[in-house]
């Protein structure tokens, strides 16, 4: 029986992920005010890319990951060592968050950007190879702090969940969407996240976490708080 490794040896050993050792991170300089970082595959190479907004220049930036390295492992990606952002485009006034999903059901990932300045969400339609075109602006009537997407009413169309000062607001998608609804979350929402079930979680600036689940009628109901 082999002797157990001492704790310091275990801590010093490389962490193996996808048959490759984790190495030092690649660092990119970003303009001040980055927010809303997400991982989503915008160019259909089965590897997630990174997208975020920057408030100082009102833009969206996407870092495309390249193909999986040939040195072993499947599904991993490497970050390009060249120019920091492969995709860069202007957004509206004061973008605060971004979400990714197939909003128009063309199989390409779209980026939905929430703006505090215009109180709207702009859908930037993806072309499947990393490019985007602004397609539609959706008015919110509230100042957004965060955004997520999921199919709340289970009609196969993505819906938008926006965090704001009084809770969360659901903007339904599809050709004949339901009226939007607002739900309290115990304070000003700092961040929202959503799963496909669907479940929606919202954290507040007062230190609470609210979880909402589908109510079977097309809406959400508070599940845990």
């Amino acid at each position: 029986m082999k002797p157990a490794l001492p704790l310091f040896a275990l801590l010093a050993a490389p962490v193996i992920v996808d048959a490759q050792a984790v190495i030092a991170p690649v660092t990119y300089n970003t303009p001040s005010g980055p927010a809303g970082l997400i991982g989503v595959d915008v160019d259909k190479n089965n590897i997630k890319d990174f997208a975020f907004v920057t408030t100082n220049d009102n833009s969206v930036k996407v870092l495309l990951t390249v193909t999986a390295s040939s040195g072993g492992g499947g599904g991993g990606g490497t970050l390009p060592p060249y120019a920091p952002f492969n995709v860069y485009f202007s957004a509206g006034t004061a973008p605060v968050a971004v979400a990714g999903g197939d909003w128009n059901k063309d199989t390409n990932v779209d980026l939905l950007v929430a703006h505090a300045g215009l109180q709207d969400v702009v859908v930037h339609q993806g072309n499947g190879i990393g490019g985007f075109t602004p397609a539609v602006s959706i008015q919110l009537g509230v100042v957004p702090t965060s955004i997520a997407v999921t199919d709340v009413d289970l009609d196969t169309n993505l819906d938008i969940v926006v965090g704001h000062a009084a809770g969360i607001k659901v903007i339904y998608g599809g050709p004949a969407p339901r009226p939007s609804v607002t739900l309290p979350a115990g304070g000003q929402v700092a961040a929202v996240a959503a799963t496909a079930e669907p479940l929606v979680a919202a954290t507040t600036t007062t230190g609470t976490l609210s979880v909402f689940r589908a109510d079977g009628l097309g809406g959400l109901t508070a599940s845990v708080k």
Side-chain angles (χ1 to χ4, degrees), residues 31 54 57-62 85-90:
T54 50
D57 60 356
N58 296 326
S59 70
V60 179
K61 296 175 176 63
V62 181
F85 308 108
N86 318 74
V87 181
Y88 172 103
F89 57 88
S90 296

Side-chain angles (χ1 to χ4, degrees), residues 31-35 52-61 87-97 113-118 120 122 124 134:
S32 60
F52 63 96
V53 298
T54 50
T55 57
N56 74 319
D57 60 356
N58 296 326
S59 70
V60 179
K61 296 175 176 63
V87 181
Y88 172 103
F89 57 88
S90 296
T93 305
V96 294
V113 181
H115 305 96
L118 299 177
D120 71 346
V122 174
H124 296 266

Side-chain angles (χ1 to χ4, degrees), residues 28 42 68 79 90 103 117 124 129 134 136 139 157 160 163 171 176 186 192 214 223:
Y28 297 95
V42 302
L79 296 175
S90 296
W103 176 258
H124 296 266
I129 57 174
V136 62
Q139 294 300 309
N157 297 296
I160 302 171
I171 309 293
V192 292
S223 176

Side-chain angles (χ1 to χ4, degrees), residues 10 31 35 40 44-45 55 71 82 87 98 111 121 131-132 134 170 209 212:
L10 293 175
V40 64
K44 292 185 174 180
N45 66 350
T55 57
Y82 43 86
V87 181
V98 59
L111 293 180
V121 169
F132 296 91
V170 180
L209 169 67
F212 302 85

